[in-house]
Amino acid sequence: MIIDCHAHLVPPSLLDAIRAEKAKFPSIRLIEEGGSIGFSFAGNKPTRPVSKPLSDIAGRLQWMDTNKIEKQVVGGWLDMFGNEIPAEEGTQWARLINTHLAQIAKEQPRFIPLATVPLQDGARAAEVLREAHGQGFKGVMIGTQPKGKGGVLDDPTLTPFWEAANELGSIIFIHPVFESGDDRVHDYGMANAVGRITDTLIAMSRLIYAGHVTRYSNMKVVAGIGGAALPYVIGRLRRNYSLDKEKLGNPDAALAAMYYDTIVQDTRALRYLADVVGANRIMMGSDMPFPIGDLAPLNIVKETSFSDSERASINGGLAKQLFGL
């Protein structure tokens, strides 16, 4: 079974529901643009509009067929997670997203959905995570910055969420947010090329040093975009750990415990990732439908120096095991 472990989907029914129920979300302003919707959460600057490929189910299935992909793990779109809005409103917003992700997965079983949770409140995030598992979700996709722009995933207020994830054995896919937290990357297309990397690297490094990855060992953490720069900086992470072992989590143990996708766009980088963490921790991914992703994701696995058994694991074997397919 060929499985794409990293993609995004906004079901058309979700957009219809948002328009119909907008009065329930006073902190969210809808911005109709070119037949699609953008959002302003809690008065912040508008998001990009939902692009057609995010909601084009027929087009997505055709792309999967062309690429010989049988199933695809789909999270929502990070721009519309709405972690900036008040907690109660954010809880209802996450539930609305999850309802429609669960529905599209029932209608089209080739999609494996990842839920959304209101990270602005750790207790509510835990509650929604438990509900999501009850709906059939195996885990969630969360942003690197739990306040939309700003905040850290090791914030003590999020402890209830991490405890619930550990108890449930959740898959936690950690994904960069649109605002990387560094205004220097908003030129030359660097938000995509570099900002996503630095954002993920910082968020993951904090979780590693806070001890979350090894402490909550029953959850399954997926570090998107090939683990960002984690494999390349493991020596520095290890050196820093050696200077303060009493206070810091072990980076080698954390990297060995996590999972990664293949979205590195260079066979040498993918081979190095495998050398550092093991090919048995890597899953093929596309970041569909975004152009910065890998829209022919089987090629890099084919062209990288892997054994046949390693390729089988990367192209679907590991994802099948993690998601219980």
Side-chain angles (χ1 to χ4, degrees), residues 134-156:
Q135 290 175 279
F137 290 92
K138 298 300 176 69
V140 295
M141 182 175 283
I142 63 171
T144 45
Q145 300 179 51
K147 299 184 185 302
K149 181 179 181 180
V152 292
L153 292 175
D154 54 298
D155 189 318

Side-chain angles (χ1 to χ4, degrees), residues 260-262 270 273-274 277-283 313-314 318:
Y260 308 83
D261 65 28
T262 57
L270 183 57
L273 171 64
V277 306
N280 64 332
R281 313 299 289 191
I282 302 173
M283 298 178 285
S313 174
I314 292 167
L318 176 55

Side-chain angles (χ1 to χ4, degrees), residues 118-240:
L119 275 188
Q120 56 268 64
D121 185 294
R124 291 178 187 272
E127 178 184 352
V128 173
L129 178 62
R130 294 182 191 281
E131 292 172 0
H133 274 264
Q135 290 175 279
F137 290 92
K138 298 300 176 69
V140 295
M141 182 175 283
I142 63 171
T144 45
Q145 300 179 51
K147 299 184 185 302
K149 181 179 181 180
V152 292
L153 292 175
D154 54 298
D155 189 318
T157 64
L158 289 175
T159 296
F161 166 73
W162 295 114
E163 290 177 342
N166 191 57
E167 177 189 332
L168 294 163
S170 296
I171 296 165
I172 307 295
F173 197 115
I174 298 177
H175 192 286
V177 297
F178 182 67
E179 291 287 357
S180 68
D182 188 336
D183 291 337
R184 294 176 298 170
V185 302
H186 292 302
D187 299 300
Y188 312 114
M190 286 173 54
N192 272 328
V194 177
R196 307 282 181 263
I197 302 296
T198 55
D199 180 25
T200 304
L201 175 64
I202 292 167
M204 296 307 308
S205 296
R206 290 190 65 103
L207 283 179
I208 288 168
Y209 281 143
H212 284 43
V213 175
T214 49
R215 180 181 305 118
Y216 303 120
S217 58
N218 193 45
M219 67 180 181
K220 303 164 186 72
V221 175
V222 182
I225 46 177
L230 284 172
Y232 193 75
V233 302
I234 184 57
R236 294 186 67 84
L237 292 170
R238 184 187 301 124
R239 176 62 177 166
N240 188 52

Side-chain angles (χ1 to χ4, degrees), residues 3-9 48 51 53-54 60 63 69 72-78 141 173-176 191-193 196-197 200 224-226 261-265 283-297:
I3 302 171
D4 175 2
C5 85
H6 178 174
H8 304 272
L9 192 68
R48 300 166 289 179
S51 65
L54 274 167
R60 179 70 58 91
W63 176 86
I69 292 169
Q72 186 177 67
V73 178
V74 292
W77 182 40
L78 275 290
M141 182 175 283
F173 197 115
I174 298 177
H175 192 286
N192 272 328
R196 307 282 181 263
I197 302 296
T200 304
I225 46 177
D261 65 28
T262 57
I263 307 173
V264 295
Q265 284 99 354
M283 298 178 285
M284 180 268 291
S286 68
D287 201 15
M288 183 71 184
F290 297 108
I292 193 64
D294 187 344
L295 302 187

